[in-house]
């Protein structure tokens, strides 16, 4: 049994590598770095250096296909945003191996925030009030429908990148203009405008097959980096029946296969849950899932063998931390959220808070 794991610069990719190796699989770690978290794992059997998925996506896919054609692999497992690219080129990938992902159009339905919120509206899942103006004139005509303050963000952004806040109408219009210009330069869709929901974040990660949930972990971030809604640096599992029902509904309605994570906010005023974002790939909940008894690798290997995996119930009060992100959180100002580290990064990169989310995420996480 051979498994090719991509995106292995991610700190949580080692969990996937270790899981498959413990089941007897030979695991190849693939990314664009000479040295990475996955490649340093003692459970890795082979190391593959690829072109940059951010800068050379076509060359990246060719490199993977060449590897799959040279050696027989039973499964390709993406660890991060490259899952979208692999799904887009699934014909080439699946000609040589298995790829447990939904169709590309389905992935984009959840990755693209406006279509995610449209899905939420159709199936009765609450999300923050939002508008998707195509111009500053449309924004000026519709902004009075939203309660200030608002958040402006790019539909395909993540990790708090490409996100700005505004508390006055004039500021909303100015920020929208700036972010629209940046989006045009990056050739990505323009920003949406959304009411700010204040409260406690809750994150999830589940693995599904054909719309059936086979394992899920739900957790509260005790710390995040960046502090204002970034990746969880220290986290704890919880049991949350309402979220379990919501994620099951979304999995069923999309016929989802593969990893899928969600970001919720529990409104501090009403207590209502708001779905903020969806991530069609693994996230830091991988480690928490393993600590909670979920065998992510075993689930996928069972599916390859045509076995029916037994769903694993969530376990509460399990904790995990990412030491690098925890240190970054402290550098950024810790509980005071001063933003020191973020400003240092922006200064070194000669950029602004409107830095391209796609480029920056890929540079920092996929090409370390």
């Amino acid at each position: 049994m051979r498994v090719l794991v991509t995106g292995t610069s991610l700190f949580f990719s080692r969990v996937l590598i270790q899981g498959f190796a413990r089941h007897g699989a030979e695991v190849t770690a693939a990314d664009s770095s000479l040295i990475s978290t996955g490649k340093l794992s003692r459970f890795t059997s082979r190391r593959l250096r690829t072109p940059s998925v951010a800068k050379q996506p076509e060359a990246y896919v060719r490199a993977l296909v060449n590897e799959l054609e040279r050696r027989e692999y039973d499964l390709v497992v993406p660890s991060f945003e490259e899952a979208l690219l692999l799904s887009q080129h699934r014909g080439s990938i699946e000609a040589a191996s298995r790829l447990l992902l939904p169709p590309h159009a389905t992935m984009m339905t959840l990755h693209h925030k406006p279509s995610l919120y449209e899905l939420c509206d159709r199936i009765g899942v609450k999300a923050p009030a939002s508008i998707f103006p195509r111009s500053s004139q449309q924004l000026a005509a519709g902004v009075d429908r939203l309660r200030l303050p608002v958040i402006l963000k790019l539909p395909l952004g993540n990790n708090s990148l490409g996100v700005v806040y505004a508390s006055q109408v004039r500021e909303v219009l100015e920020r929208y203009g700036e972010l629209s210009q940046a989006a045009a330069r990056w050739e990505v869709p323009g920003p949406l405008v959304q009411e700010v929901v204040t409260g406690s974040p809750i994150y999830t990660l589940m693995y599904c097959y054909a719309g059936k949930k086979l394992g899920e972990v739900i957790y509260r971030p005790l710390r995040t980096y960046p502090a204002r809604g970034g990746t969880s640096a220290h986290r704890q599992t919880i049991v949350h029946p309402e979220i379990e029902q919501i994620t099951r509904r979304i999995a069923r309605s999309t016929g989802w296969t593969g990893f899928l994570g969600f970001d919720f906010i529990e409104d501090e005023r009403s207590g209502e849950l708001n779905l903020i974002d969806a991530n069609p790939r693994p996230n830091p909940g991988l480690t928490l899932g393993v600590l909670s008894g979920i065998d992510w690798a075993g689930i996928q290997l069972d599916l390859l063998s045509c076995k029916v995996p037994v769903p694993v119930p969530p376990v509460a009060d399990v904790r995990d931390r990412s030491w690098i992100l925890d240190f970054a959180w402290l550098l950024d100002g810790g509980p005071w959220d001063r933003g020191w580290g973020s400003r240092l990064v922006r200064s070194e990169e000669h950029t602004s808070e409107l830095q391209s989310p796609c480029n920056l995420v890929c540079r920092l996480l996929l090409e370390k």
Side-chain angles (χ1 to χ4, degrees):
M1 172 75 68
R2 285 190 183 136
V3 178
L4 176 65
V5 179
T6 64
T8 51
S9 288
L10 276 297
F11 62 89
F12 47 77
S13 66
R14 61 183 174 79
V15 177
L16 287 172
I17 292 171
Q18 180 175 335
F20 284 112
R22 289 193 182 281
H23 281 279
E26 296 180 18
V27 184
T28 294
D31 58 57
S32 60
S33 302
L34 180 62
I35 299 175
S36 65
T37 302
K39 289 176 178 176
L40 290 174
S41 172
R42 64 187 177 90
F43 294 94
T44 296
S45 301
R46 177 176 167 81
R47 293 152 186 86
L48 175 67
R49 191 173 187 185
T50 68
S52 163
V53 66
K55 299 176 182 177
Q56 301 172 285
E58 293 182 359
Y60 176 83
V61 173
R62 284 198 302 271
L64 291 185
V65 171
N66 289 340
E67 173 70 11
L68 296 174
E69 291 176 346
R70 283 196 301 265
R71 298 167 59 86
E72 292 185 5
Y73 283 91
D74 299 277
L75 182 64
V76 177
V77 182
S79 293
F80 200 56
E81 300 283 349
E82 78 278 2
L84 291 158
L85 182 64
L86 298 188
S87 180
Q88 187 177 11
H89 294 270
R90 68 182 314 124
S92 300
I93 302 295
E94 291 188 322
S97 183
R98 290 287 302 278
L99 182 66
L100 296 174
L101 290 176
H104 184 255
T106 303
M107 296 189 78
M108 290 304 297
T109 295
L110 298 189
H111 184 58
H112 185 248
K113 293 177 178 61
S115 59
L116 168 65
Y117 301 144
E118 290 173 4
L119 173 66
C120 288
D121 187 57
R122 288 200 306 272
I123 65 176
V125 174
K126 185 173 177 56
S130 307
I131 58 175
F132 317 112
R134 297 184 179 180
S135 66
S136 296
Q137 291 75 20
Q138 284 191 0
L139 174 60
V143 70
D144 59 350
R145 299 201 303 266
L146 299 179
R147 183 183 63 228
L148 296 175
V150 297
I151 181 172
L152 295 86
K153 51 189 175 182
L154 298 178
L156 300 180
N158 55 39
N159 284 353
S160 290
L161 299 169
V163 170
V164 294
Y165 291 81
S167 57
Q168 298 178 355
V169 172
R170 184 180 65 180
E171 187 182 10
V172 174
L173 296 174
E174 290 175 353
R175 293 293 196 173
Y176 179 84
E178 295 169 358
L179 201 52
S180 295
Q181 290 177 8
R185 290 196 302 271
W186 303 324
E187 298 181 349
V188 298
L192 62 90
V193 185
Q194 185 177 81
E195 288 184 1
V196 173
V197 178
T198 304
S200 302
I202 302 176
Y203 300 154
T204 76
L205 179 66
M206 63 180 175
Y207 195 90
C208 306
Y209 183 73
K212 182 179 179 181
K213 189 191 305 184
L214 300 176
E216 181 178 46
V217 60
I218 302 172
Y219 58 100
R220 290 189 184 275
L222 305 180
R223 289 192 284 275
T224 66
Y225 178 77
R228 203 170 186 179
T231 301
S232 59
H234 194 178
R235 54 198 80 90
Q236 178 176 347
T237 62
I238 62 173
V239 174
H240 202 299
E242 184 180 357
I243 288 181
E244 291 176 32
Q245 293 177 5
I246 292 172
T247 56
R248 184 179 298 111
R249 198 184 315 162
I250 295 175
R252 186 169 56 244
S253 66
T254 58
W256 196 266
T257 291
F259 286 103
L260 179 58
F262 293 100
D263 299 350
F264 292 88
I265 288 185
E266 201 170 37
D267 193 315
E268 65 183 10
R269 294 179 301 179
S270 66
E272 290 183 306
L273 284 169
N274 284 261
L275 194 153
I276 304 298
D277 200 6
N279 299 296
R281 39 82 173 170
N283 66 28
L286 275 174
T287 305
L288 272 179
V290 170
L291 295 175
S292 301
I294 301 175
D295 185 356
W296 304 111
I299 289 173
Q300 295 173 76
L301 295 177
D302 281 349
L303 292 173
L304 288 184
S305 303
C306 298
K307 297 179 182 178
V308 180
V310 178
V312 177
V315 177
D317 300 325
V318 176
R319 289 195 178 193
D320 173 51
R321 71 196 318 166
S322 306
W323 292 102
I324 293 177
L325 290 177
D326 235 358
F327 177 75
W329 169 83
L330 183 62
L331 179 65
D332 214 36
W336 303 278
D337 189 17
R338 301 297 187 186
W340 299 323
S342 300
R343 286 195 294 273
L344 177 63
V345 169
R346 289 198 290 268
S347 174
E348 290 178 349
E349 295 294 336
H350 304 288
T351 186
S352 70
E353 65 182 325
L354 302 183
Q355 173 68 42
S356 164
C358 300
N359 291 345
L360 189 54
V361 169
C362 288
R363 182 168 69 251
L364 293 181
L365 297 181
L366 297 179
E367 301 186 85
K368 287 189 294 184

